[in-house]
Amino acid sequence: RNQKSAMPLLKALFNRQWWWTTLLVIAATGVMLRLGFWQMDRLAQRRAFNAEISLRLQSPPLTLDADLSGFEDLTGLKYRSVIARGEYDYSQEIALVNQNWQGQIGVHLVTPLIIEASEQAVLVDRGWIPYEESAPESWAKFAEPGPVEVRGTVWLADSKLAAMGDGMASDRTWFWVDVDGIQARDSHPLLPFYIQQAPEPGRAALPYRIEPDVQLSEGRHLEYVITWFAL
């Protein structure tokens, strides 16, 4: 009886008047199912990425010293904590323009650190200073003389920004840390990454250290999964 009652419905769906609509609905259903599974894959990838970055953030800090073996391969270095000791070369200091700190515009000072017992240098983003102090002749007051120990996070040049070309704004100002571009104007051999210096407890002096902006959200992939499957 059920088979007999279903026959008129099937005939109605596949008669000349409705068969294009039926095929369109079937195709649309297939597309929405495919999009749902695609978003599931994206969600799994995002969760795996977050787990990897969380592991890096929780790993013991790496130490930069005269022996730099192991730092040639950048795979897995981004977001790692790092300790570096040495002295700054302020003659090669630059600034990153258009930097925000608590709603105020300024610049970040980026200074080559000559690694202790080495000719190698690494760029260090030492933090934010206000726009009123952003002229190069004002930077000397923010110097940190003598041997220093820097603790921070490894960052790589943004590949999307690098694809736009040279990041230089003027002779001593840059839009982003373009390590390759800065290397062409720096007298020190630079490591192919830079350090974002971490805030020190109790420090209130300029430049203000900036906490690394690490995004570990899952995005809206789960919401999209539910939406596509519901549709």
Side-chain angles (χ1 to χ4, degrees):
R1 182 180 298 178
N2 290 336
Q3 290 180 348
K4 291 182 179 180
S5 61
M7 290 302 295
L9 176 61
L10 292 175
K11 289 181 179 180
L13 289 175
F14 288 95
N15 64 22
R16 292 183 179 180
Q17 181 180 0
W18 291 102
W19 74 285
W20 278 110
T21 303
T22 302
L23 290 177
L24 181 61
V25 170
I26 292 172
T29 301
V31 169
M32 286 184 283
L33 286 172
R34 179 66 187 92
L35 289 171
F37 285 116
W38 175 62
Q39 287 296 334
M40 288 181 64
D41 289 340
R42 294 289 304 278
L43 178 61
Q45 293 169 12
R46 188 63 177 264
R47 286 174 173 172
F49 172 81
N50 289 348
E52 170 64 23
I53 299 309
S54 296
L55 181 62
R56 294 184 199 175
L57 292 171
Q58 296 167 14
S59 297
L62 303 168
T63 299
L64 286 177
D65 51 28
D67 180 12
L68 295 172
S69 58
F71 287 91
E72 299 85 356
D73 183 6
L74 300 182
T75 305
L77 274 184
K78 188 176 182 181
Y79 306 118
R80 284 296 305 270
S81 296
V82 65
I83 300 173
R85 299 177 181 88
E87 293 193 42
Y88 287 118
D89 182 357
Y90 294 101
S91 69
Q92 308 285 325
E93 190 168 51
I94 65 163
L96 301 182
V97 298
N98 301 326
Q99 301 299 310
N100 185 300
W101 183 79
Q102 296 187 357
Q104 302 177 65
I105 295 298
V107 303
H108 282 196
L109 295 178
V110 178
T111 316
L113 178 74
I114 312 303
I115 298 169
E116 191 175 62
S118 170
E119 297 298 321
Q120 197 87 28
V122 62
L123 294 171
V124 178
D125 182 341
R126 298 195 295 125
W128 180 94
I129 61 172
Y131 177 77
E132 295 76 15
E133 306 281 3
S134 62
E137 54 269 21
S138 300
W139 298 350
K141 68 179 70 174
F142 307 115
E144 301 169 64
V148 296
E149 180 179 274
V150 173
R151 292 176 176 265
T153 306
V154 172
W155 285 88
L156 307 180
D158 191 318
S159 58
K160 294 180 181 179
L161 293 175
M164 298 169 58
D166 197 319
M168 187 170 68
S170 67
D171 184 46
R172 298 194 68 182
T173 59
W174 294 71
F175 293 113
W176 64 85
V177 184
D178 176 4
V179 178
D180 290 339
I182 296 170
Q183 176 67 91
R185 296 165 175 80
D186 199 299
S187 59
H188 308 290
L190 298 175
L191 292 175
F193 56 84
Y194 67 100
I195 300 173
Q196 183 170 349
Q197 191 166 2
E200 300 104 326
R203 175 188 168 89
L206 291 168
Y208 295 149
R209 315 299 192 206
I210 307 298
E211 289 282 2
D213 182 18
V214 182
Q215 301 292 333
L216 294 179
S217 74
E218 293 184 353
R220 302 180 64 184
H221 298 300
L222 182 58
E223 177 185 337
Y224 293 148
V225 168
I226 296 171
T227 299
W228 287 122
F229 284 151
L231 288 173

